[in-house]
Amino acid sequence: MSGTSPGMDITTLSALAEPNRMNIVQLLRSGPLAVGEIADRLGLRQPQASKHLKVLSDSGIVEVRIDANRRIYTLRPEPFQAMDSWVQSFRHLMEERFDNLDNYLRELQNKDKP
Amino acid sequence: MSGTSPGMDITTLSALAEPNRMNIVQLLRSGPLAVGEIADRLGLRQPQASKHLKVLSDSGIVEVRIDANRRIYTLRPEPFQAMDSWVQSFRHLMEERFDNLDNYLRELQNKDKP
DNA sequence: AACGAATATTCCCGTCAAGGAATATTGAGA
DNA sequence: TCTCAATATTCCTTGACGGGAATATTCGTT
């Protein structure tokens, strides 16, 4: 069962596949933030911010640190590492990424054999 | 503009955030396939397979080559490259990936200043 | 031209996710 | 203990999405 790649975890992807949540993630790249801050900066109402953060939290993308009244949310590395290694398993498709010079040369060659 | 990714394209993510479509993508890793093959191997009915392939196609994850009666679907590299560079922009979070030894040392240090 | 194989499209239906508004919870402090 | 600030939770409604079944389209073959 737990053998080879069932594929990327779906919940991570669907958590990210929503604009507000994607914005939250982008925002948190620069550091941990409290719910109020997040809501303010993204123009969200507090309850919606909390809901989206719950989804992100349930999917493991984000973790929370309790500070008195506030909850400080932070990005967790694991889901990104997982995405990274999943995407890397498609190297064979994206050969062009590995070496820019190589890529450039490949581009030139394509003009000869299209 | 060319700074950090404005954010990953949502449609790519939501296209992948569905089990059957994820399975199709995994299946296509080993090479192009016709709709019937895909449906067969994944235990899908043909119409559902077509629908999912349309979503994948609309989002640019897959492209189609027409061969008489059949449509042969193939993975396109671009979305994966995009995901790759997006995920890479989170390197600062995933430092632990770079060097396992470094990670191990970091773990030890965390026991001293928590 | 007619038929069959392969695929796409349409219609209907049930489910689920997201926003809005109101309310509950928790903690700090007077 | 009362109150305020910060956050989570609930209820409701609406719209999007996926599956099922049937039908339309397209191409090769006879």
Side-chain angles (χ1 to χ4, degrees), chain A residues 24-89:
Chain A
I24 291 179
V25 169
Q26 292 287 74
L27 184 55
L28 289 181
R29 281 182 50 184
S30 49
L33 283 179
V35 178
E37 282 279 341
I38 296 174
D40 278 356
R41 302 209 201 174
L42 297 181
L44 295 178
R45 304 175 193 258
Q46 176 267 317
Q48 326 298 332
S50 282
K51 289 179 196 173
H52 286 305
L53 285 164
K54 176 163 176 46
V55 175
L56 289 172
S57 174
D58 287 348
S59 74
I61 294 178
V62 131
E63 79 184 2
V64 60
R65 184 190 104 215
I66 298 187
D67 170 57
N69 247 352
R70 318 213 265 254
R71 316 290 164 101
I72 312 290
Y73 284 88
T74 316
L75 290 179
R76 289 183 66 242
E78 289 84 351
F80 296 93
Q81 292 168 181
M83 270 188 78
D84 182 49
S85 70
W86 183 72
V87 174
Q88 289 307 321
S89 78

Side-chain angles (χ1 to χ4, degrees), chain B residues 15-109:
Chain B
L16 293 173
E18 203 276 338
N20 295 302
R21 288 193 294 262
M22 173 58 82
N23 289 335
I24 291 179
V25 168
Q26 293 287 73
L27 184 55
L28 289 180
R29 281 181 49 178
S30 49
L33 284 178
V35 177
E37 282 279 341
I38 297 174
D40 278 356
R41 303 210 201 174
L42 296 182
L44 295 178
R45 306 179 190 255
Q46 176 267 318
Q48 325 299 332
S50 283
K51 289 180 197 173
H52 286 305
L53 284 165
K54 177 164 175 47
V55 175
L56 289 172
S57 174
D58 286 349
S59 74
I61 294 179
V62 129
E63 79 185 1
V64 59
R65 184 190 104 217
I66 299 188
D67 170 58
N69 247 352
R70 321 212 265 252
R71 315 290 164 100
I72 312 290
Y73 284 87
T74 316
L75 291 178
R76 288 183 65 243
E78 288 83 351
F80 296 93
Q81 292 168 181
M83 270 188 78
D84 183 49
S85 70
W86 183 72
V87 174
Q88 288 307 321
S89 78
F90 287 81
R91 274 185 259 87
H92 65 292
L93 263 204
M94 327 184 277
E95 340 89 313
E96 332 177 27
R97 194 193 79 76
F98 279 131
D99 186 13
N100 285 340
L101 177 57
D102 190 50
N103 178 28
Y104 176 67
L105 294 178
R106 204 185 314 271
E107 296 276 331
L108 291 185
Q109 287 201 356

